[in-house]
Amino acid sequence: MLRRGATGPGQAFTRLTAAAAGTATITVTLAFLPVNPAVAAPEPSRRELTAQEKKLADQAEQLSEQYNGLRVRLKQAQRAATVAKENARRQSDALAKVRAQVAQVAADAYKNGDVDPAAAMVSSGDPQAVLDRSATLNFFAQQHGTQVGALLQAVQSSERARRSADARAKEVRDLTAEAERKRRELQTRLKKVQKALGKISSSSPSKRGSAPDVAPGKASAKAMGAVRAALNQLGVPYSWGGGSASGPTYGTAQGRDIKGFDCSGLTLYAYAQVGVGLPHYTGSQFNAGTRVSQSQLQPGDLVFFYSDLHHMGMYIGGGKMVHAPQTGDVVKISTISGRPFAGGVRIA
């Protein structure tokens, strides 16, 4: 018999089982307790978003002018390749003609039996004539042989130049394609920031504004004509790589195709209206005229900013310029004091 309070084998097993079950229940319950969610990163403030936008827009403009510079280099490389190919073709044609002449000399010598001049003199009634003809054929053969050698060297040199020019053109094409790829990535990032700032909507691009009057001062008639042409584009959207002598070129803004200008495209267009040709690249336009200091600026002068010259505008007097600022903006009038001034250039 078991004493009161004593535990038998069956009761002990029951208690152990219950204890184990309780433990299991606790374990399962803990396993399914909700995990505390990770603390979400705070949304960037409007000030931070604005700083991001400014930085991305500045990078986009730097890339835009690098792209414009590559386009100038590509045109130069393509022209060099065309010249090299034409030169190689001319040299090959000249070589073919000389080879034909050498072949004709050899054929004439064979037909006239001048393979062995000594035998021909013995059998001929006029040995002197044989000598004269043989000397003439030898002279032309030597002359043509020398010419063939020179032309062969010229052809080889031309082919090397052609291959080099083709390789340079391909290299620049590849760099241009890479710049375009980077531009698309940068534009995507910039649009996200602008959307967060509420700057991208379904509204239409800004319409052109009326051009203000500008006092010419000492500016030339051509310079003032360029100023008027630029001011007539007020309100036209900024377009990456946009602008030509005939007007704004297509780009993208607010998710659709529109016409617009980038900074050097606007000044290129404005001066084209008064008969002055400029390349579509800030670096080239910086060397297109006479350098002037900030204190010497007159309306129509080109003004450049930053050490790498990635932004520019056209001075209109009173410390102001007309320019195409950046992606998401339009051609507008701004002061020249907000950016590091790199130099002024007088075109006309």
Side-chain angles (χ1 to χ4, degrees):
M1 287 182 63
L2 291 172
R3 294 191 302 274
R4 183 178 294 178
T7 303
Q11 291 175 319
F13 177 77
T14 302
R15 290 176 183 174
L16 285 170
T17 304
T23 303
T25 302
I26 293 171
T27 303
V28 172
T29 303
L30 289 174
F32 284 92
L33 284 175
V35 178
N36 289 332
V39 178
E43 291 292 326
S45 67
R46 188 168 186 83
R47 180 177 181 180
E48 290 171 332
L49 285 171
T50 302
Q52 286 181 33
E53 181 195 27
K54 183 178 184 304
K55 182 178 179 180
L56 288 170
D58 196 53
Q59 289 174 351
E61 194 166 25
Q62 285 179 308
L63 191 57
S64 175
E65 285 309 316
Q66 289 171 14
Y67 175 77
N68 289 337
L70 285 170
R71 289 196 300 183
V72 171
R73 283 177 55 191
L74 180 57
K75 287 181 181 178
Q76 294 170 344
Q78 288 172 332
R79 283 197 296 268
T82 299
V83 170
K85 288 175 184 176
E86 180 60 25
N87 186 45
R89 185 195 62 78
R90 285 198 306 268
Q91 297 290 1
S92 295
D93 289 347
L95 178 60
K97 287 179 182 177
V98 173
R99 279 175 168 163
Q101 291 170 351
V102 170
Q104 186 61 50
V105 169
D108 289 345
Y110 181 80
K111 283 189 296 184
N112 291 323
D114 292 324
V115 177
D116 185 354
M121 282 190 294
V122 171
S123 60
S124 173
D126 188 356
Q128 186 60 47
V130 173
L131 283 172
D132 291 343
R133 185 168 65 248
S134 178
T136 299
L137 289 172
N138 285 333
F139 172 76
F140 278 110
Q142 290 172 1
Q143 289 294 102
H144 282 104
T146 302
Q147 195 172 358
V148 165
L151 280 170
L152 276 172
Q153 290 181 349
V155 167
Q156 291 169 351
S157 177
S158 296
E159 281 299 313
R160 284 195 297 270
R162 182 190 63 78
R163 287 194 296 269
S164 175
D166 283 343
R168 188 162 68 251
K170 181 183 182 305
E171 178 187 5
V172 179
R173 277 196 303 272
D174 291 344
L175 287 171
T176 305
E178 177 66 10
E180 172 63 19
R181 184 188 66 77
K182 289 180 179 178
R183 178 195 72 87
R184 288 195 297 267
E185 292 177 356
L186 198 58
Q187 291 287 83
T188 300
R189 292 168 57 196
L190 181 57
K191 284 179 181 178
K192 286 181 180 178
V193 173
Q194 290 176 332
K195 186 176 181 180
L197 285 168
K199 290 189 174 183
I200 294 180
S201 66
S202 58
S203 60
S204 300
S206 301
K207 295 181 179 179
R208 298 188 187 188
S210 57
D213 291 330
V214 174
K218 296 180 180 179
S220 68
K222 279 193 173 183
M224 290 307 299
V227 168
R228 286 190 291 272
L231 290 173
N232 283 336
Q233 303 304 310
L234 289 174
V236 172
Y238 178 95
S239 176
W240 199 88
S244 69
S246 58
T249 52
Y250 278 100
T252 58
Q254 299 181 356
R256 61 187 182 278
D257 289 339
I258 48 90
K259 283 187 172 183
F261 293 101
D262 64 11
C263 64
S264 58
L266 175 65
T267 51
L268 177 159
Y269 165 77
Y271 265 103
Q273 307 317 297
V274 293
V276 178
L278 293 174
H280 194 168
Y281 176 41
T282 55
S284 297
Q285 292 190 22
F286 190 64
N287 295 311
T290 304
R291 300 283 173 81
V292 292
S293 66
Q294 189 168 347
S295 62
Q296 296 172 319
L297 289 173
Q298 296 175 7
D301 290 346
L302 304 182
V303 284
F304 297 82
F305 305 91
Y306 304 99
S307 59
D308 62 354
L309 311 176
H310 72 259
H311 188 68
M312 65 176 297
M314 181 179 292
Y315 191 68
I316 61 172
K320 295 181 179 180
M321 65 177 172
V322 56
H323 67 141
Q326 62 189 34
T327 299
D329 212 332
V330 298
V331 175
K332 65 193 329 180
I333 294 173
S334 303
T335 65
I336 66 171
S337 60
R339 296 174 173 83
F341 185 76
V345 173
R346 185 157 299 150
I347 300 297

